[in-house]
Amino acid sequence: MTLLIVGGGGREHAIIKKLKENPNVETIYALPGNGGIAADAVCVPEIGATDIDAIVAFARSHAVDFAVVAPDDPLALGCVDALHAAGIPCFGPDAKAARIESSKVFAKDLMQKYHIPTAQYQVFDAPVEALAFLKTASFPIVIKADGLALGKGVLIPRSYAEAEAAVRTIMEDRAFGDSGSRVVIEEFLTGPEVSVLAFTDGTAIAPMVSSMDHKRAGDGDTGPNTGGMGTVAPNPCYTEEVAQVCMDTIFLPTLAAMRAEGCPFKGCLYFGLMLTPDGPKVIEYNCRFGDPETQVVLPLLRTDLLTVMQAVENETLGELTVEWRHASAACVILASGGYPGHYEKGKAISLPKSLPGNVTIYHAGDKLADGQLVTSGGRVLGVTATGPTLRQALQDAYAAAETVDFDGKYLRHDIGRRALAALAD
Ligand code: AMP
Ligand code: GLY
């Protein structure tokens, strides 16, 4: 079979490595892919992930049997709709269903209408109204740009002065682009955060192993928000009891709500949850695999990934048992110094000649320059280890991270610390 993956980060690399385990897979094209992915797939750097016309033309001319659209932008732009229109089976939601991520207002209104637990909220189109509301609000409070903002469009002011600055940053300075033309202002929730990715064909759902992201740049959850500096799976806070509550009050109601709205969700639905004192609540939905959650979740998948993805596309997921390894995984991101702010690119990457069997390095932000791998993004590599315990997985991931080098290499040193503490409780 010939497969095509849209995207070029660590998440896509993890998907590709897993798809390659299927013996029927002969060729995988990655559009655009990256330097490290080139070792596992045929990369096409000329075709960007949002160039929908070029993606469809490529899929047609290369006899692609199945496509996977991984990033949020092409999903929101209708890449799956366009591939389907060209008769190419693929994995991912159509543009209407992708609104669950691309519009926070759509997602919040859906949850309110269908009684899915989430933070109380209000929507504002104009800064004056937002500021008038904030005058009487209590702090901290959460302000979110409506549209896609690379996971960075969320500000949590602790006073009116900070809130005023936040509204101006989002709505007037448009720090997150046009996604800031509307804001959602919502109640500040507390509790452990859990990421649950789930395969769904619109009706049946197969939640993946739970995980925990580490979004802040610095140790001890300090510094600015990033796309994610490391992950562990499973998340020890996500017990079987919590999972059952989430299934009954969040997962199944969300699928039913999307069907009722005329946009059944097919693909990977990501539930960003907070386990509050009042029970689990939705912080955000993503219409795709998380990054770097995928780098710890997919290595634990026992069932063939292509089979699962085809069952989603064919709406037969309910007939399949999706199995997981009873093990742990940890991923440590190696970033360019300065990320998520300004950072330098083009630094030569040195990788170890061989890695232990339980360690995989996923390439996120690099490229080949004259045959040499060099850095080309903020998050450069994700070093993942699996192990019988989380402690072992973390130890092996950190040991492997030591053996990789590039100028300005930056990593957090406390990935998994909170998870280990929760396990000790
Ligand atoms: P998001 O981009 O929606 O994932 O939000 C980024 C981070 O902001 C989340 O991972 C949470 O830590 C935090 N956050 C978002 N919404 C809330 C909320 N209502 N209460 C508390 N923290 C929140
Ligand atoms: N790691 C969070 C995300 O993929 O949005």
Side-chain angles (χ1 to χ4, degrees):
M1 284 184 79
T2 298
L3 308 184
L4 180 154
I5 313 298
V6 177
R11 163 185 55 204
E12 288 76 11
H13 199 185
I15 293 171
I16 287 167
K17 278 200 177 280
K18 200 72 196 171
L19 288 170
K20 275 183 69 172
E21 291 177 11
N22 182 314
N24 297 324
V25 172
E26 288 150 342
T27 308
I28 304 184
Y29 293 108
L31 279 54
N34 66 35
I37 290 177
D40 288 300
V42 181
C43 294
V44 187
E46 304 76 41
I47 301 183
T50 54
D51 196 347
I52 311 294
D53 291 344
I55 292 167
V56 174
F58 184 95
R60 278 190 152 150
S61 58
H62 290 76
V64 166
D65 298 301
F66 194 83
V68 179
V69 183
D72 47 2
D73 299 354
L75 290 167
L77 288 169
C79 192
V80 166
D81 313 54
L83 286 164
H84 276 156
I88 295 155
C90 53
F91 179 87
D94 61 17
K96 262 182 104 181
R99 286 178 302 165
I100 201 162
E101 172 170 5
S102 63
S103 169
K104 295 214 190 286
V105 175
F106 173 84
K108 295 297 292 191
D109 289 350
L110 185 86
M111 289 185 269
Q112 173 159 282
K113 183 169 171 189
Y114 294 93
H115 310 291
I116 297 163
T118 189
Q120 301 282 344
Y121 72 104
Q122 300 234 29
V123 181
F124 297 95
D125 293 302
V128 268
E129 286 156 23
L131 292 174
F133 170 79
L134 287 165
K135 274 247 155 45
T136 61
S138 51
F139 295 92
I141 203 161
V142 183
I143 307 184
K144 300 184 173 183
D146 178 35
L148 296 176
L150 294 172
K152 294 176 197 135
V154 177
L155 298 171
I156 307 187
R158 302 195 173 263
S159 64
Y160 177 76
E162 279 182 30
E164 188 178 9
V167 167
R168 298 209 189 284
T169 305
I170 298 177
M171 300 191 87
E172 290 178 359
D173 306 344
R174 293 292 168 97
F176 311 109
D178 285 342
S179 78
S181 60
R182 282 201 292 187
V183 292
V184 173
I185 300 187
E186 69 178 36
E187 174 197 8
F188 178 76
L189 300 176
T190 56
E193 285 186 57
V194 182
S195 306
V196 179
L197 285 60
F199 295 108
T200 173
D201 62 5
T203 309
I205 183 163
M208 304 185 209
V209 171
S210 62
S211 55
M212 182 189 285
D213 195 3
H214 297 69
K215 288 197 186 201
R216 301 293 203 97
D219 286 357
D221 295 321
T222 54
N225 250 325
T226 70
M229 292 299 296
T231 38
V232 298
N235 185 324
C237 303
Y238 194 70
T239 60
E240 273 183 32
E241 296 75 48
V242 174
Q244 191 60 53
V245 173
C246 291
M247 181 60 89
D248 296 339
T249 65
I250 295 175
F251 302 165
L252 293 174
T254 300
L255 298 187
M258 292 297 277
R259 289 196 304 273
E261 291 296 308
C263 49
F265 189 100
K266 287 172 65 173
C268 171
L269 184 50
Y270 169 129
F271 299 88
L273 307 171
M274 198 172 263
L275 309 182
T276 78
D278 300 329
K281 295 192 180 183
V282 178
I283 289 282
E284 63 164 346
Y285 294 112
N286 290 326
C287 66
R288 52 174 174 83
F289 285 95
D291 191 343
E293 284 88 344
T294 305
Q295 289 90 311
V296 285
V297 168
L298 285 188
L300 299 177
L301 176 62
R302 188 173 269 154
T303 310
D304 172 57
L305 178 60
L306 180 59
T307 305
V308 181
M309 288 181 157
Q310 287 175 317
V312 166
E313 167 71 337
N314 299 332
E315 298 176 22
T316 55
L317 185 63
E319 296 162 27
L320 191 71
T321 306
V322 180
E323 292 186 294
W324 299 90
R325 283 170 56 194
H326 293 286
S328 295
C331 174
V332 177
I333 296 293
L334 307 183
S336 301
Y339 171 77
H342 173 78
Y343 55 84
E344 291 181 14
K345 298 179 185 176
K347 309 292 182 193
I349 300 172
S350 128
L351 294 169
K353 292 223 158 31
S354 68
L355 287 168
N358 64 328
V359 175
T360 309
I361 296 181
Y362 297 112
H363 292 247
D366 63 12
K367 64 176 188 180
L368 284 166
D370 298 327
Q372 163 72 47
L373 272 182
V374 299
T375 64
S376 65
R379 292 187 294 174
V380 179
L381 301 166
V383 182
T384 293
T386 56
T389 62
L390 176 58
R391 190 174 295 279
Q392 188 66 51
L394 282 163
Q395 215 168 333
D396 291 355
Y398 272 111
E402 287 281 307
T403 67
V404 177
D405 205 22
F406 55 87
D407 229 23
K409 173 180 117 176
Y410 172 78
L411 68 159
R412 270 182 67 163
H413 298 91
D414 62 343
I415 301 303
R417 196 171 290 168
R418 267 180 300 123
L420 287 176
L423 280 171
D425 280 350

